[in-house]
Amino acid sequence: MLKRLLLAGAAGALMTAAAQAQTPVKIGVLNDRSGVYADISGEGSVVAARMAVEDFKAAEKGLKVEIVSADHQNKPDVGASLARQWYDRDGVDVILDVPTSSVALAISQVTREKNKAFVNSGAGTADLTGAQCSPNTVHWTYDTVALANGTGGAMVKRGGNTWFFLTADYAFGQALQRDTTAVVTKNGGKVVGSVKTPFPTADFSSFLLQAQGSGAKVIGLANAGGDTINAIKQAAEFGITEGGQAIAGLLVFSSDVHSLTPKVAQGLVLTEPFYWDLNDATRAFSDRFAKTFNGKKPTAVQAGVYGGVIHYLKAVEALKSAKDGGQVIAKMKELPTDDPLFGKGTIRPDGRKIHDMYLFEVKKPGESKDPWDLYKTLATIPGNEAFRPMSEGGCPLVGKS
């Protein structure tokens, strides 16, 4: 009896010691949960983060992970305030996702001040790894340069050498117009006009009429989410493509096309870093995700949250601590990236995650076998061609070589 008690006591002590030895990690998923980007990120990003923790087997590797989430409402002041609260009072170690570039730039600054970690999946501005780069930030999924190189370059090669932009009037839209303009002009095209649209907006009719009147061969939509959906729907109502002008969705996600349906979006050329039906690994993940999340397939942003959490946890496991965000980000850059959704890759010194991008075309209704069978692949763009060369970004963390 005494022996059994002693053994039980020893086992209990070992379990207590193991629990005490676990490294606490608190992950904050901060995004749009109620506005134009909710379908792109929202609760689906939280689902993806939970799946990453589960697939990483964090508890078995000595990590005690907690996930919290909040809605930044697409407002930089709200996002910055939430980040400060999370870092100062709630013990959050890393913030993920953060669509809306103006919010992401604010979060990056707060994260640097607090020496925490920020792994962005949702925002587009390439300034996150350019002039406003930070040793505490990784930009994971896509950016405005990669979108411009993909869709912008492809449209010019197809003969779309004159452009008119409808540009969301905030940091993301402005960066996307800037970077696409550079690609268009480099390839011999020209921009004949542009108009800034309120963010967000439901009525694009007057802006589309200006674009139609410009005679431009391509109308570039430098917006995203609900704004892109509304603009494409209204362009179809106006018969713009039937009149010979092409619509270039410069940031389009599978959730947008699913909402539009191939009937409306057919023929649209777009660039994404992830699509659920790319290969066996993406299909397996996406089927699991859909079973958890109301039958919906994951977007690229949600996939980026998954990949970002996996790699962040690898770095924390190696360091056995999440407390010094700068050290964790440095370890993430040191370790090669590898996950089932983006494959093998690297994170550059400026914080840019490098992986392939894909040029897709939306299928015609007759080609689509089910509501999520949306794209056919036109080209694979190698990561070193898709993203801006580090020497051209102006990031003060790196040299010019």
Side-chain angles (χ1 to χ4, degrees):
M1 182 68 179
L2 179 60
K3 186 177 181 181
R4 282 202 299 271
L5 286 171
L6 288 170
L7 287 170
L14 284 170
M15 289 174 67
T16 302
Q20 290 174 343
Q22 280 197 317
T23 301
V25 184
K26 196 164 186 178
I27 293 172
V29 179
L30 185 58
N31 59 29
D32 177 359
R33 299 176 65 83
S34 56
V36 292
Y37 299 154
D39 287 343
I40 292 168
S41 56
E43 180 61 20
S45 290
V46 180
V47 170
R50 291 195 192 110
M51 289 176 68
V53 174
E54 178 185 329
D55 290 354
F56 187 71
K57 296 180 169 47
E60 295 177 21
K61 295 176 180 176
L63 305 181
K64 184 180 180 181
V65 181
E66 180 184 356
I67 297 174
V68 296
S69 61
D71 186 347
H72 62 44
Q73 302 171 41
N74 297 314
K75 298 175 181 176
D77 57 337
V78 173
S81 178
L82 285 166
R84 289 184 190 280
Q85 177 184 316
W86 274 0
Y87 290 149
D88 291 341
R89 294 190 346 210
D90 300 337
V92 168
D93 299 296
V94 59
I95 291 177
L96 283 108
D97 201 0
V98 193
T100 314
S101 292
S102 52
V103 184
L105 291 166
I107 299 298
S108 184
Q109 183 175 335
V110 174
T111 302
R112 185 172 189 169
E113 289 171 12
K114 303 297 181 181
N115 193 30
K116 299 292 187 175
F118 177 31
V119 182
N120 183 277
S121 177
T125 179
D127 294 347
L128 280 168
T129 55
Q132 298 193 52
C133 68
S134 162
N136 296 75
T137 294
V138 167
H139 200 180
W140 192 274
T141 311
Y142 70 100
D143 65 26
T144 49
V145 171
L147 298 173
N149 282 333
T151 308
M155 295 300 284
V156 176
K157 288 173 185 174
R158 287 180 161 206
N161 58 1
T162 56
W163 285 62
F164 187 100
F165 287 97
L166 270 60
T167 302
D169 192 13
Y170 79 106
F172 161 71
Q174 293 156 18
L176 188 50
Q177 179 180 336
R178 174 197 70 200
D179 294 336
T180 307
T181 296
V183 171
V184 169
T185 54
K186 181 181 177 182
N187 285 277
K190 65 178 180 177
V191 176
V192 299
S194 65
V195 60
K196 291 181 178 177
T197 63
F199 170 73
T201 189
D203 186 3
F204 284 87
S205 55
S206 64
F207 310 121
L208 286 165
L209 287 171
Q210 288 182 59
Q212 194 173 32
S214 74
K217 292 180 181 177
V218 180
I219 299 172
L221 303 180
N223 52 21
D227 280 358
T228 298
I229 291 171
N230 287 334
I232 292 173
K233 281 181 177 176
Q234 289 163 32
E237 291 167 4
F238 288 170
I240 285 177
T241 54
E242 293 171 8
Q245 289 174 297
I247 301 292
L250 295 171
L251 178 55
V252 177
F253 294 97
S254 56
S255 57
D256 303 327
V257 177
H258 180 263
S259 176
L260 286 163
T261 74
K263 183 178 179 180
V264 175
Q266 61 183 299
L268 189 69
V269 174
L270 57 106
T271 303
E272 288 221 57
F274 168 86
Y275 174 51
W276 73 270
D277 200 19
L278 273 176
N279 54 53
D280 289 344
T282 59
R283 282 188 285 273
F285 170 82
S286 300
D287 287 346
R288 287 172 51 217
F289 181 95
K291 287 175 184 175
T292 306
F293 195 50
N294 305 317
K296 296 178 180 179
K297 299 295 188 184
T299 65
V301 169
Q302 293 156 352
V305 170
Y306 176 90
V309 170
I310 292 275
H311 196 63
Y312 173 81
L313 292 177
K314 286 179 185 176
V316 172
E317 181 193 15
L319 293 169
K320 295 182 170 54
S321 174
K323 293 308 170 191
D324 187 321
Q327 284 187 6
V328 178
I329 295 295
K331 180 59 71 172
M332 289 178 72
K333 293 176 181 178
E334 179 186 318
L335 297 171
T337 63
D338 191 5
D339 67 76
L341 306 189
F342 296 89
K344 298 180 185 298
T346 58
I347 300 173
R348 298 190 313 204
D350 61 355
R352 179 64 256 169
K353 163 72 164 62
I354 302 298
H355 48 246
D356 291 345
M357 299 286 290
Y358 303 92
L359 189 69
F360 296 116
E361 183 176 322
V362 177
K363 292 182 174 182
K364 297 174 182 176
E367 298 171 325
S368 179
K369 298 171 187 173
D370 63 64
W372 285 99
D373 181 23
L374 305 169
Y375 298 163
K376 52 187 175 186
T377 305
L378 299 179
T380 299
I381 309 167
N384 60 352
E385 296 177 16
F387 294 100
R388 176 180 57 205
M390 190 162 59
S391 60
E392 296 177 8
C395 172
L397 301 176
V398 299
K400 298 294 183 184
S401 60

